[in-house]
Amino acid sequence: MAASTELRELAPPAFTHAVPALLEVYEAAMRPPPEQLPGRAAVMGSHADYPGFRSVVAVDDGRPVGFAYAFHGREGQWWHDVVIEGLHAHGHARHIRRYLADPLEIAEVHVHPDAQNRGVGRSLLHALCSGRPERTAVLSTRSGPSAARHLYRSCGFVEVLESFSFPGTPDQPFSIMAARLPLVGPGAPPPRGRSPWWPWTG
């Protein structure tokens, strides 16, 4: 990660306030259809109320260039319940007790294209998972070779369910990945204190 890039942890109220700026990073990294952005913003805002929520933002020259957030996964949450159902359906019920009994659910990890290939994603991932009380971390990523998948594997994630389609997106297969905590490989926790780039951290 470049020396000029800082990692800052935002409290839930500050994360909600920052969603419009973070959505610009998401849009640049993922190139979603514009009509999906309002729904994505609403989902991100609602996740800030989940138990154990943590968000980490990478800032370079006063602007966000990457972000990641996660929360404690549990029964009754959409992703958690859908994945457990998928594991049962595909004969992988053994992974439920191993990886989803006490998980940190990583909802988003995104880096602006201008800041990619500089270690930002790895730093965000390690900061997000550092010092967590959960036994495991879980996430979903697009199936097939990708830089994101390579990053997750290098941090200790393994595939527990391949080519899985979430309800409503049958043409977009995902891989469900999981890792024991703490993650392997180099990484550093986010700095403490107030963020100099955002007006308040909550």
Side-chain angles (χ1 to χ4, degrees):
M1 190 169 69
S4 60
T5 305
E6 294 183 88
L7 296 186
R8 294 290 172 176
E9 184 172 338
L10 297 185
F15 173 84
T16 301
H17 192 54
V19 162
L22 303 181
L23 205 61
E24 294 181 8
V25 175
Y26 171 82
E27 184 177 14
M30 300 299 290
R31 299 293 183 186
E35 63 270 18
Q36 292 184 4
L37 293 176
R40 176 59 55 180
V43 168
M44 289 171 61
S46 67
H47 282 165
D49 293 328
Y50 279 27
F53 178 87
R54 174 186 281 176
S55 68
V56 183
V57 180
V59 182
D60 196 345
D61 195 25
R63 68 184 184 94
V65 297
F67 74 95
Y69 75 86
F71 43 80
H72 181 73
R74 64 183 185 184
E75 185 178 355
Q77 296 171 352
W78 182 82
W79 189 96
H80 184 272
D81 292 350
V82 168
V83 168
I84 283 183
E85 183 179 339
L87 289 169
H88 274 299
H90 289 81
H92 299 311
R94 68 187 184 280
H95 292 318
I96 297 173
R97 185 170 61 180
R98 181 177 299 173
Y99 292 115
L100 284 146
D102 181 29
L104 174 69
E105 183 182 319
I106 299 174
E108 307 281 358
V109 181
H110 299 294
V111 179
H112 194 285
D114 293 345
Q116 291 178 4
N117 302 312
R118 288 165 30 189
V120 175
R122 181 179 300 276
S123 295
L124 285 169
L125 189 62
H126 276 276
L128 191 67
C129 296
S130 175
R132 293 293 305 200
E134 293 89 356
R135 291 192 295 112
T136 60
V138 293
L139 55 83
S140 53
T141 189
R142 294 283 178 86
S143 293
S146 68
R149 194 161 173 167
H150 175 76
L151 167 64
Y152 299 140
R153 283 175 172 168
S154 72
C155 291
F157 284 85
V158 296
E159 290 82 0
V160 298
L161 185 58
E162 286 278 17
S163 300
F164 177 69
S165 295
F166 287 95
T169 57
D171 57 337
Q172 297 179 11
F174 284 81
S175 292
I176 309 302
M177 304 185 74
R180 294 282 187 182
L181 293 179
L183 297 182
V184 300
R192 300 295 178 182
R194 291 190 172 274
S195 167
W197 71 277
W198 201 255
W200 56 290
T201 58

